[in-house]
């Protein structure tokens, strides 16, 4: 059944209803928009509106002031306190922040400051600079405790190695003994050479023995013996005293020997032996055994050492013997094929020995000091001769 043109259907009625509703809604929105703009606070335009809009004016001025200050990089005291509170809360311990408790986080109370005192907050740039400076300082510091003292020691050793020269001693009218007291022995020696004065002799006790050194048996030892005369006119010799020193000049063995025959000449002026010294001396066989045990496998130094070994009735490998009387450089210095120990000590060591009665301990110390003075050169010559000898033997063994 069709409706007439003048009668609208239900569909048309609904359509017209919603159109009217939309129009009404748009109209209400247009009316509400000016009201919202009016509700937004604005600065007063006239003098009469100042009292009515005082609160809105305060808010606008405060917001504008804070924006300007933040733009200029300046913060007020109150802003600093608020920032300090926020940083203290954020830097709390991780265990406190991560705890599962659902309580509100407490802010750290700010302690009121005294009058005139300003709150100093560490800037981020300052903390970065301090951290960088600390890392630089750590890199500059020595990695171990040994590095610092080592440099210092090296500097001291360079100063100590500085020795006086002839240019330093430009004057020539000062007593060398006075220079020795003030500038040291080396400076005095230079002055004596310039003046043509013979060097001052040193005391044997201080120049032949190293006082603070090891006092036991070393791989190198020096030996000396004193003898007395027996038989008609005391022409025959027997052992009266044996002394051994280590490489530092420390005495390791010193014994008087009981004579096996009647002594006809004690030779006290040279040997220093008196009847009471050897009356209760050690048995000669015991001394021979003890000395042989010490010398075994060691380098033995002596002056005309063949005489000492002969009187002891001992033998020793030639490769382990160092005889200061037979050393060629010493012979050239003394200008003699058989220089005495007294002459060598005077010319080489500048030490006076055997001024009166001899001492086997002092003579052994002097012999050892002569050896240690040229030990490197002496041993190098022996090694070189040994190598040459071995090479010659190899050439001889090669078949032609």
């Amino acid at each position: 059944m069709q409706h007439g043109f003048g009668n609208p259907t239900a569909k048309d009625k609904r359509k017209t209803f919603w159109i009217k509703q939309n129009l009404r809604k748009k109209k209400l929105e247009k009316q509400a928009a000016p009201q919202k703009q009016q509700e937004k606070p604005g600065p007063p335009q006239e003098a009469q509106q100042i009292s009515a809009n005082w609160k809105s004016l305060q808010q606008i001025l405060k917001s504008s002031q804070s924006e300007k200050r933040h733009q200029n990089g300046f913060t007020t005291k109150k802003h600093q306190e608020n920032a300090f509170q926020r940083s203290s809360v954020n830097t709390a311990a991780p265990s406190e922040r991560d705890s599962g408790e659902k309580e509100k986080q407490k802010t750290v109370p700010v302690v009121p400051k005294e009058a005139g005192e300003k709150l100093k907050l560490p800037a981020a740039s300052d903390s970065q600079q301090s951290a960088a400076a600390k890392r630089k300082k750590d890199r500059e510091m020595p990695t171990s405790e040994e590095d610092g003292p080592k440099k210092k020691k090296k500097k001291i050793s360079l100063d100590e190695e500085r020795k006086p020269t002839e240019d330093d001693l430009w004057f020539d009218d000062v007593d060398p003994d006075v220079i020795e007291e003030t500038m040291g022995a080396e400076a005095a020696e230079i002055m004596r050479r310039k003046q043509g004065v013979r060097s001052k002799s040193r005391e044997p006790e201080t120049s032949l023995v190293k006082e603070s050194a090891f006092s036991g048996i070393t791989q190198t030892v020096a030996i000396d013996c004193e003898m007395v005369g027996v038989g008609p006119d005391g022409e025959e010799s027997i052992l009266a005293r044996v002394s051994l020193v280590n490489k530092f000049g420390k005495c390791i063995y010193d014994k008087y020997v009981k004579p096996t025959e009647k002594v006809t000449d004690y030779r006290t002026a040279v040997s220093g032996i008196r009847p009471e010294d050897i009356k209760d001396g050690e048995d000669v066989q015991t001394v021979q055994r003890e000395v042989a045990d010490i010398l075994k496998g060691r380098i033995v130094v002596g002056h005309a050492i063949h005489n000492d070994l002969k009187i002891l009735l001992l033998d020793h490998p030639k490769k382990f013997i160092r005889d200061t009387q037979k050393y060629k450089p010493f012979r050239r210095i003394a200008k003699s094929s058989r220089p005495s120990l007294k002459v060598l000590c005077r010319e080489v060591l500048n030490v006076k020995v055997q001024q009166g009665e001899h001492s086997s301990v002092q003579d052994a110390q002097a012999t050892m000091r002569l050896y240690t003075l040229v030990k490197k050169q002496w041993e190098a010559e022996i090694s070189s001769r040994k190598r040459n000898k071995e090479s010659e033997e190899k050439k001889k063994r090669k078949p032609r």
Side-chain angles (χ1 to χ4, degrees):
M1 181 178 176
Q2 294 182 351
H3 298 282
F5 182 78
N7 298 323
T9 61
K11 186 176 180 181
D12 293 334
K13 287 180 180 181
R14 286 197 299 272
K15 188 174 180 181
T16 54
F17 173 78
W18 287 114
I19 289 170
K20 289 178 182 179
Q21 288 290 335
N22 289 334
L23 290 172
R24 193 181 295 113
K25 188 175 181 181
K26 288 179 180 179
K27 190 176 180 181
L28 289 172
E29 286 178 356
K30 286 181 181 179
Q31 290 176 357
Q35 288 180 0
K36 285 183 180 179
Q37 290 178 0
Q38 289 178 3
E39 288 176 2
K40 185 177 180 181
Q45 301 295 331
E46 298 179 5
Q48 296 176 355
Q49 297 175 349
I50 290 174
S51 59
N53 297 312
W54 178 247
K55 288 185 179 180
S56 60
L57 179 63
Q58 266 189 331
Q59 291 177 358
I60 291 167
L61 290 173
K62 189 185 281 188
S63 62
S64 63
Q65 272 185 345
S66 62
E67 286 175 2
K68 284 180 182 179
R69 285 174 180 171
H70 281 299
Q71 287 173 0
N72 295 331
F74 174 78
T75 55
T76 60
K77 191 174 181 181
K78 189 171 181 182
H79 283 95
Q80 288 180 348
E81 290 179 359
N82 292 336
F84 179 70
Q85 287 180 2
R86 287 195 298 274
S87 64
S88 62
V89 170
N90 292 333
T91 56
S95 60
E96 293 178 0
R97 291 203 306 268
D98 298 338
S99 60
E101 297 178 2
K102 294 183 179 180
E103 295 180 357
K104 291 183 179 180
Q105 192 174 19
K106 294 181 181 180
T107 58
V108 179
V110 180
V111 179
K113 296 175 291 301
E114 296 178 359
E117 185 179 353
K118 294 182 179 181
L119 181 65
K120 295 181 181 179
L121 293 174
S125 60
D126 295 341
S127 62
Q128 290 175 359
Q129 289 176 0
S130 63
K134 188 176 180 183
R135 287 194 297 271
K136 186 178 179 182
K137 189 176 179 182
D138 292 339
R139 286 196 297 270
E140 291 175 356
M141 285 178 68
T143 54
S144 63
E145 294 179 1
E146 296 177 359
D147 294 342
K150 273 185 181 175
K151 292 180 181 177
K152 196 171 182 180
K153 284 180 183 176
K154 189 175 181 181
K155 189 176 180 181
I156 292 168
S157 64
L158 289 171
D159 293 339
E160 288 176 353
E161 287 177 3
R162 173 79 169 83
K163 294 179 180 179
T165 61
E166 290 189 7
D167 295 335
D168 298 331
L169 304 172
W170 51 268
F171 44 87
D172 57 358
D173 56 347
V174 181
D175 188 358
D177 294 341
V178 176
I179 292 175
E180 185 171 0
E181 292 177 1
T182 55
M183 299 180 66
E186 292 178 354
E189 194 67 27
I190 293 170
M191 182 56 69
R192 288 189 184 98
R193 284 200 303 268
K194 288 181 72 174
Q195 295 180 359
V197 179
R198 189 168 183 78
S199 300
K200 186 179 178 181
S201 299
R202 294 176 289 175
E203 293 296 326
E205 291 78 9
T206 57
S207 58
L208 300 180
V209 185
K210 195 172 182 180
E211 291 299 332
S212 59
F214 176 63
S215 58
I217 302 174
T218 54
Q219 185 58 33
T220 306
V221 295
I223 188 171
D224 190 72
C225 299
E226 299 295 345
M227 306 160 199
V228 291
V230 295
D233 300 327
E235 293 179 357
E236 298 290 329
S237 299
I238 61 171
L239 185 63
R241 184 183 181 186
V242 185
S243 301
L244 290 162
V245 299
N246 66 8
K247 71 175 185 179
F248 302 110
K250 293 294 184 83
C251 184
I252 56 175
Y253 188 89
D254 184 28
K255 284 189 177 181
Y256 289 98
V257 182
K258 188 175 182 179
T260 54
E261 300 178 38
K262 184 181 179 181
V263 178
T264 55
D265 186 2
Y266 284 92
R267 307 172 186 173
T268 305
V270 178
S271 66
I273 303 296
R274 290 170 173 79
E276 57 271 20
D277 295 332
I278 59 176
K279 182 181 178 182
D280 298 321
E282 189 71 66
D283 186 61
V284 67
Q285 285 82 14
T286 304
V287 172
Q288 287 173 339
R289 185 174 62 253
E290 291 174 348
V291 171
D293 290 341
I294 295 172
L295 300 185
K296 187 176 181 180
R298 289 185 168 86
I299 294 174
V300 184
V301 183
H303 190 81
I305 194 172
H306 58 278
N307 294 325
D308 301 308
L309 294 174
K310 183 180 178 181
I311 203 70
L312 280 163
L313 301 174
L314 294 176
D315 193 16
H316 200 68
K318 188 178 179 180
K319 64 180 180 180
F320 291 147
I321 291 175
R322 306 291 182 267
D323 195 335
T324 53
Q325 191 184 58
K326 294 181 180 180
Y327 187 53
K328 289 181 180 179
F330 288 161
R331 288 179 175 181
R332 287 194 292 268
I333 292 170
K335 298 177 182 179
S336 171
S337 60
R338 294 174 64 188
S340 66
L341 183 61
K342 183 177 180 179
V343 172
L344 286 179
C345 288
R346 185 182 69 236
E347 297 297 329
V348 179
L349 301 178
N350 194 27
V351 175
K352 291 180 179 179
V353 296
Q354 299 178 349
Q355 294 300 300
E357 298 179 2
H358 293 195
S359 167
S360 55
V361 174
Q362 189 183 87
D363 290 351
Q365 290 170 343
T367 307
M368 178 59 80
R369 187 69 189 95
L370 286 167
Y371 168 73
T372 55
L373 191 67
V374 295
K375 179 183 176 181
K376 287 184 179 179
Q377 181 184 348
W378 197 338
E379 296 299 329
E381 290 173 3
I382 292 171
S383 299
S384 178
R385 285 199 300 267
K386 185 179 178 181
R387 285 194 298 269
N388 293 337
K389 188 177 179 180
E390 288 176 354
S391 63
E392 288 176 2
E393 289 178 354
K394 284 181 180 178
K395 287 179 182 179
K396 288 179 180 178
R397 286 197 298 266
K398 282 183 179 180
R400 292 183 182 179

